[in-house]
Amino acid sequence: MTELNQVTEGVTDGLRLQLLIDAIVDYAIYMVEPDGRIASWNSGAARLKGYRADEIIGRSFSIFYTAEDQAAGLPQKALAMATEHGRFTSEGWRVRKDGSRFWATIVVDAIRDTDGSLIGFAKVTRDITERQKAHQALVESEQRYRRLIEAVVDYAIFQLDPAGVVVTWNAGAQRIKGYTPHEIIGQHFSRFYTEEDRESGVPRRALGEAAQSGRFEAEGWRVRKDGSRFWASVVIDRIVDETGVLVGFAKVTRDISERRLAQETLAKVQDQLLASQKLEAVGQLSGGIAHDFNNLLMIVMGNLETMERHARQLAANATFQRGLSHAKRAAQRAAGLTSRLLAFSRRQALDPKPIDPSRFLTGLQDFLQRTLGERIEVQTIGGAGVWQIEVDPIYLESAVVNLAINARDAMPDGGRLTLEAVNVSVDDAYCLQNPELSPGQYVVISVTDTGVGMSADTLNHAFEPFFTTKEAGQGTGLGLSQVYGFLKQSGGHTRIYSDESQGTSVKMYFPRHHSAAAATDDTGEPATERESNKGEVILVVEDDDDLRIYVSELLRELNYRVLTAANAQTALTMLLQDRSHIDLVLTDVVMPGMNGREFGKRAAEIRPELKILYMTGYSRNAVMHQGRLDQGIALLEKPVSQARLALRVREVLDQR
């Protein structure tokens, strides 16, 4: 027996490796003596080259080379290169027993003993003539075999004996799990599982399934040497000898923690987007309803005001006047409701101005303290370094007051309300978790209470319109939805953080404003001395017949001359043909065909001196963009009281 065969038979690990090699039929894997004679032969070599082991062992491996390659001395050069460099790889034609040729890839590795003496070569040959057809088989082979042999570091690839004891260990296993070979070989593989999995018998069931069906695949938590956990993808393949007896398992583990985190993040983002889309759909519906409802309310409220005025003049009885007063209050409440719906649907007309958040909150503190009562302590935290933001101060105040009242209701026994403004820079990682925000600089205004907090279910529905946890009659459920709409329309974002019994913090993100503060003077300010109505001519453009009649009669009562048009096209025709002077156009914004804003632009082209006042109950994007009124726009939001309509008309007519 040769020295090489003695070494091979004397090593238990070598026997396991030989069994593994014999199970592979896609590769010719055999050993060669230092002089080139074949010393071993696997089943893959027999299938690929056509020789039985008893036909080829002892013969020179050069028999597989073509006559041309033999003449050129390629077999000897291959062994020489392997001896010098430790490995020789190449591709070329090889010859089978029957004389047919195939294109092969070959690897020759030098084998040395512990003293460094050459004792032979390991030779691997594969037929790659049909490379494309065999590509998938190559990938699978790489996953189960080549990476095991070549010490891949991205996978933990190791062998187990039939009982589950680790018998081999690659560099990838050491990198992923943290154990060196001498620390883990001989230990049971169940130590990689969590304590819960070990107690429930997961390792035992995994080997049982692999032994029975040939393969086990799963994902789950695994434990490193340092005790840390990672999410792993695990494959266990059964290894049997030539008689079909189980001799062990090949185990491949990969750390896919990042992939799992990405999947969880994606699922969270999808949930957030779904919730946002739902709110957007409800907002569109709410805005559409508010448009028609505001027209109706303006007629109702206007006629109630007229009746109330006449009732006082006629000294109507107290019951009649009381009924009018109740009806008027109900109409005003309905107007407030539609206003909140418009805020949620982001259809309110904002007039943003640069403000200092710290000064704003400080100025609001006393008002909130008086509003919330002595049992609530109001604190304000801010500083001179807080950036400016550009928002509508009236709507911002309304949002903070809404949140403060919610906080008061969550602290029935008293508590502390904290208002805080801080600068934050939002990066891509945060935006990945909150896709409705863009990276950049923001000012976060926080309203935090020490109240009862919210449950997880309440948090999930907090911004939905009409959702409330209060008893019937104690709230509309539109407070937070109004805040949500205002923030979105202002280019910001809002988040709620809350735990039951731990209080609630609502954070409002506003984009940083870089421009200088706006001038305090307003060129559109009404003249200091207003003249009485001089019979100016007003053109009323309104598609709702009842509302057009009501507004026209009201303006006539105020001593204005009134012309009317049911649509923009009719009004343009009047402006082109009517030679009489028109002082003001009072036009609805949302009309069929040409909208009010487009009509206003055309009207200004026809009569540049014409003043225009818009009315709207649902402005969409006709007179505002990115949450702000277009420059130079005068606007009345429906429903409007008679006094407010009269005042605004007079202001626009008197503007310089």
Side-chain angles (χ1 to χ4, degrees):
M1 183 179 295
T2 65
E3 179 182 357
L4 178 59
N5 286 335
Q6 291 173 346
V7 172
T8 303
E9 292 182 0
V11 180
T12 303
D13 287 344
L15 177 58
R16 292 194 182 94
L17 183 59
Q18 184 61 46
L19 291 173
L20 177 63
I21 291 172
D22 282 342
I24 299 171
V25 296
D26 290 333
Y27 290 83
I29 304 176
Y30 55 97
M31 295 185 183
V32 177
E33 301 281 2
D35 59 3
R37 287 181 297 111
I38 297 168
S40 68
W41 197 245
N42 81 326
S43 57
R47 187 187 68 82
L48 187 62
K49 305 203 181 215
Y51 294 94
R52 300 191 310 272
D54 61 341
E55 293 178 316
I56 197 65
I57 290 178
R59 301 179 65 178
S60 174
F61 83 108
S62 62
I63 193 173
F64 307 131
Y65 285 74
T66 64
E68 309 93 272
D69 288 347
Q70 290 185 37
L74 289 187
Q76 292 76 19
K77 291 179 181 178
L79 296 185
M81 292 290 289
T83 301
E84 182 178 356
H85 300 290
R87 166 171 283 201
F88 171 78
T89 60
S90 71
E91 292 185 7
W93 291 111
R94 294 297 181 267
V95 182
R96 295 187 179 92
K97 177 182 176 181
D98 61 7
S100 61
R101 293 188 177 192
F102 65 97
W103 188 261
T105 176
I106 66 107
V107 178
V108 181
D109 284 296
I111 303 174
R112 299 182 182 275
D113 61 15
T114 56
D115 297 329
S117 300
L118 180 69
I119 59 174
F121 303 92
K123 194 169 186 300
V124 181
T125 304
R126 190 178 189 192
D127 182 353
I128 59 170
T129 306
E130 299 181 5
R131 183 191 295 269
Q132 295 304 319
K133 184 178 180 181
H135 177 70
Q136 187 58 39
L138 175 61
V139 171
E140 294 175 357
S141 177
E142 287 176 343
Q143 292 176 340
R144 299 186 185 181
Y145 172 72
R146 189 172 60 82
R147 288 178 178 171
L148 175 61
I149 302 301
E150 296 182 0
V152 174
V153 296
D154 289 335
Y155 292 81
I157 304 175
F158 52 98
Q159 288 179 259
L160 307 175
D161 69 11
V165 174
V166 178
V167 294
T168 66
W169 196 248
N170 81 325
Q174 180 173 337
R175 186 185 70 84
I176 293 174
K177 297 180 183 280
Y179 295 94
T180 61
H182 76 273
E183 291 176 318
I184 197 62
I185 290 177
Q187 302 292 323
H188 198 271
F189 86 112
S190 61
R191 72 173 359 182
F192 308 133
Y193 286 74
T194 64
E195 184 177 351
E196 310 92 88
D197 286 347
R198 289 198 301 268
E199 290 177 354
S200 61
V202 173
R204 182 182 66 257
R205 289 197 298 271
L207 291 188
E209 183 176 332
Q212 182 178 0
S213 62
R215 164 172 281 210
F216 170 82
E217 294 186 56
E219 290 186 7
W221 291 112
R222 295 296 182 268
V223 183
R224 297 186 178 92
K225 176 185 175 181
D226 61 8
S228 62
R229 295 187 177 192
F230 65 98
W231 190 259
S233 170
V234 177
V235 177
I236 302 176
D237 283 298
R238 177 182 61 197
I239 302 175
V240 297
D241 63 14
E242 65 275 5
T243 64
V245 175
L246 178 69
V247 295
F249 302 92
K251 192 170 187 298
V252 180
T253 302
R254 189 175 189 187
D255 183 351
I256 57 169
S257 302
E258 291 184 1
R259 188 180 78 183
R260 183 172 188 264
L261 177 61
Q263 291 172 340
E264 291 176 343
T265 302
L266 177 61
K268 180 180 178 182
V269 168
Q270 289 173 335
D271 288 343
Q272 290 178 344
L273 290 178
L274 182 62
S276 176
Q277 290 167 356
K278 180 174 70 173
L279 291 176
E280 181 69 24
V282 175
Q284 291 176 358
L285 176 63
S286 302
I289 293 172
H291 169 246
D292 293 336
F293 196 46
N294 277 332
N295 282 346
L296 297 174
L297 277 176
M298 188 167 175
I299 298 170
V300 171
M301 293 176 65
N303 283 288
L304 286 172
E305 288 180 346
T306 300
M307 293 173 64
E308 188 178 39
R309 188 170 65 251
H310 290 321
R312 286 196 299 267
Q313 294 172 355
L314 297 175
N317 64 58
T319 301
F320 181 73
Q321 290 195 0
R322 187 164 55 251
L324 280 179
S325 178
H326 290 168
K328 186 177 177 182
R329 281 201 301 272
Q332 290 170 343
R333 288 179 61 190
L337 188 64
T338 57
S339 176
R340 290 185 175 92
L341 283 174
L342 286 175
F344 168 69
S345 61
R346 295 173 246 175
R347 297 294 186 263
Q348 58 193 353
L350 300 181
D351 186 15
K353 295 178 175 60
I355 68 170
D356 181 332
S358 293
R359 291 180 60 187
F360 174 85
L361 294 180
T362 301
L364 196 58
Q365 181 174 357
D366 290 342
F367 169 75
L368 287 177
Q369 187 67 74
R370 291 192 302 271
T371 301
L372 301 182
E374 296 179 354
R375 302 178 70 181
I376 306 296
E377 177 190 357
V378 180
Q379 294 182 346
T380 302
I381 301 174
V386 178
W387 299 321
Q388 278 194 341
I389 58 176
E390 188 178 37
V391 295
D392 188 316
I394 295 176
Y395 282 98
L396 176 58
E397 179 177 316
S398 176
V400 174
V401 171
N402 258 321
L403 296 176
I405 291 174
N406 281 349
R408 178 199 62 190
D409 295 342
M411 297 183 288
D413 299 324
R416 183 173 61 257
L417 178 73
T418 303
L419 309 178
E420 182 178 11
V422 296
N423 300 332
V424 297
S425 294
V426 174
D427 57 15
D428 292 328
Y430 186 84
C431 293
L432 184 64
Q433 300 286 335
N434 301 273
E436 297 183 32
L437 265 184
S438 300
Q441 294 179 321
Y442 293 82
V443 173
V444 177
I445 295 179
S446 303
V447 180
T448 305
D449 64 60
T450 58
V452 297
M454 301 183 190
S455 67
D457 182 64
T458 300
L459 274 176
N460 290 334
H461 299 282
F463 291 125
E464 294 179 7
F466 303 111
F467 175 81
T468 180
T469 58
K470 300 177 182 178
E471 295 181 3
Q474 294 189 6
T476 63
L478 284 172
L480 282 177
S481 62
Q482 183 178 2
V483 173
Y484 175 87
F486 165 63
L487 263 293
K488 292 300 179 184
Q489 193 173 349
S490 301
H493 179 59
T494 182
R495 291 290 305 274
I496 303 179
Y497 300 89
S498 183
D499 289 307
E500 291 185 276
S501 303
Q502 299 297 318
T504 299
S505 180
V506 181
K507 296 184 180 296
M508 298 181 287
Y509 290 73
F510 294 94
R512 179 184 182 182
H513 180 62
H514 292 277
S515 302
T520 55
D521 293 336
D522 185 354
T523 57
E525 186 69 23
T528 53
E529 295 184 6
R530 294 176 179 166
E531 300 181 27
S532 60
N533 301 350
K534 303 182 295 297
E536 291 105 328
V537 180
I538 299 176
L539 172 59
V540 177
V541 187
E542 170 61 62
D543 62 298
D544 187 297
D545 295 339
D546 293 334
L547 184 56
R548 185 174 65 254
I549 293 171
Y550 162 70
V551 172
S552 300
E553 290 178 350
L554 175 60
L555 292 174
R556 289 190 180 101
E557 288 182 7
L558 296 171
N559 296 324
Y560 295 108
R561 293 176 55 200
V562 180
L563 304 174
T564 63
N567 54 63
Q569 195 59 53
T570 301
L572 287 176
T573 302
M574 295 173 64
L575 291 174
L576 287 168
Q577 296 179 351
D578 195 341
R579 296 186 178 181
S580 64
H581 178 73
I582 296 178
D583 298 280
L584 174 70
V585 170
L586 177 60
T587 178
D588 190 17
V589 173
V590 180
M591 296 186 292
M594 184 185 302
N595 66 43
R597 182 66 176 118
E598 185 178 350
F599 159 69
K601 293 178 181 177
R602 298 279 294 277
E605 293 174 357
I606 297 171
R607 299 194 181 193
E609 77 286 354
L610 193 62
K611 295 177 180 178
I612 301 175
L613 175 59
Y614 295 94
M615 287 193 305
T616 181
Y618 177 53
S619 61
R620 293 182 183 267
N621 290 324
V623 294
M624 65 180 186
H625 295 85
Q626 287 78 50
R628 66 185 63 199
L629 281 174
D630 293 342
Q631 188 174 6
I633 294 296
L635 182 69
L636 270 174
E637 293 188 79
K638 301 175 186 175
V640 59
S641 67
Q642 294 180 355
R644 176 61 179 160
L645 175 63
L647 177 63
R648 194 71 178 114
V649 167
R650 192 67 258 164
E651 285 178 345
V652 175
L653 284 170
D654 291 342
Q655 279 179 354
R656 293 188 294 272

